[in-house]
Structure formats: structure tokens, C-alpha cells
Amino acid sequence: MTVASPAHSRVGALSLRRSPLADRAAELAAHGAGGPLGVRLAEETFLTQVNLRVHPGSPAVARIEHALDLALPHQEPNLVSGDENGAALWLGPDEWLLVAPDGHADRLVGSVRSALSDSLGSTVDVSANRTTLRLSGPAAREVLEKICSLDLHPRAFTPGRCAQTLLGRTQAILWQLDPEPTYRILVRGSFADYLADLLLDAMREFAAP
């Protein structure tokens, strides 16, 4: 009998992963359009997502920030520190979502747990809970405004901000990356098809024929 090594098993498991919208990548790309009223939609697969809970006044916060080389925004709600390659999103007074490229979950969870030490808090890898849609282009805000009740005008919602909100009938985390604008939309995998359909319909007037 042949027994796979742990490393071999891990590689095999990774090769079997399938994102919720894997079969729709070409469809999403085909509905995008460039130009001054362009908009594009794509799935960003397998982002690392780690939920962090710790009291903002805890001495562990400074240790966590040092371990991650990343500030935990807590002076104002709905702020993001970092960038799309590594960020902390404010979800509540004592809750953040750490987002990084694929493969960084073990490092983040290990670093935070060591930094928490004996302090009250928790860290959980929730990467498998959500997938990410990337909506970008000059018309991206107009598309989102069709399905979201938030004020997304630049006077109210700017790069470096996030919000937990309803898009249509599903809850999602909305994060603006840049002024173009480009948004990341983090949504539960079971609602990914629904949200993709909703966005494609909202994109219809801007999309290529």
C-alpha cells in the first residue's frame, strides 16, 4: 500500500480546489467592456481571509500590528489599512478581516495567535467561507448603485474604505481599492452565482454587445 506524504497530500488537495465561479470565468470576461463607460467583472479566487477578534485597548494589538507589519484600523469605522496584497478591514469595534494572497493563512493565524499570547481574542481562517468578485472600470460605481443602497459617491466612499452591506438580497463586504474605481466584493460562496447574475444584469447597459 502506498501512503501519500503530507506534502504530497497537500499539493493534491490544492489541485482539487474549485472556486464557486470557475465555470463562468469566460462568461464574466465576455460581458466586460472598455472605454470611458467601461466595466469589467472577474472572480479573484482563493484569497486568504482570516477573522481577528481582539479588544482595541488590549496590549496584544501592538504585538499583532508588529507581527503583521500592518495597522489595525480602529479610530474610525469602515477603514482599511494596507493594500490588496495584504490588508486589515474594519468589521466592528473589536473585529477585523485580514486579507492576503492565497497560501498565507497558516502564517497569519500563527503570527496572530503568538501575538495574542495570554490576551483575550481569537483568530480563525475563514478563507473557504467567501469568494471575491472584482468589479472595475469607470462605470463600476454606477453598476453597484443599482443593487446597493450605500452612498458610493466619492464624497462618502473612497479608496481605503469598506462596508458590510446588502447587494440585492445577499450580504457582502464591499471594499474600494482605487479611484478608477475598482471594488473587491467578498461574498459567501453559496451566493456567488446569484451575485454574479445580479451584477451582469446591472452591467448590461455598459457591456459590449
Side-chain angles (χ1 to χ4, degrees):
M1 181 175 70
T2 301
V3 179
S5 68
H8 181 77
S9 299
R10 183 174 177 82
V11 170
L14 289 175
S15 68
L16 292 174
R17 288 191 303 176
R18 192 170 186 81
S19 66
L21 298 173
D23 293 332
R24 303 187 64 179
E27 176 192 2
L28 299 184
H31 283 76
L37 291 177
V39 62
R40 300 170 298 278
L41 180 64
E43 183 186 23
E44 288 190 83
T45 58
F46 309 127
L47 290 182
T48 292
Q49 299 178 51
V50 172
N51 184 267
L52 167 63
R53 301 293 298 265
V54 64
H55 191 280
S58 168
V61 170
R63 297 195 299 265
I64 293 170
E65 292 178 329
H66 177 74
L68 300 178
D69 193 23
L70 188 66
L72 298 180
H74 59 271
Q75 301 296 335
E76 185 181 343
N78 300 318
L79 289 182
V80 179
S81 65
D83 57 31
E84 60 183 293
N85 295 309
L89 283 65
W90 186 98
L91 298 185
D94 65 348
E95 183 177 10
W96 294 266
L97 183 69
L98 307 178
V99 180
D102 185 25
H104 289 258
D106 289 345
R107 177 184 64 80
L108 289 178
V109 170
S111 297
V112 172
R113 284 180 179 167
S114 295
L116 280 171
S117 185
D118 295 331
S119 300
L120 291 176
S122 68
T123 179
V124 181
D125 178 10
V126 294
S127 305
N129 191 38
R130 304 184 190 92
T131 190
T132 304
L133 286 166
R134 188 182 187 96
L135 184 72
S136 60
R141 177 164 64 90
E142 285 80 354
V143 168
L144 275 177
E145 286 173 336
K146 294 182 180 183
I147 62 172
C148 178
S149 61
L150 288 179
D151 182 1
L152 300 178
H153 191 276
R155 66 174 173 262
F157 201 84
T158 58
R161 288 197 170 270
C162 65
Q164 298 182 82
T165 186
L166 284 175
L167 298 180
R169 298 187 178 216
T170 189
Q171 188 176 33
I173 298 173
L174 181 64
W175 168 15
Q176 186 172 343
L177 296 174
D178 60 39
E180 184 184 25
T182 300
Y183 301 94
R184 269 181 172 167
I185 305 169
L186 288 71
V187 63
R188 289 183 183 273
S190 55
F191 289 98
D193 274 307
Y194 162 79
L195 184 55
D197 288 339
L198 204 63
L199 288 167
L200 288 176
D201 184 64
M203 288 168 56
R204 194 179 301 275
E205 69 173 286
F206 305 105

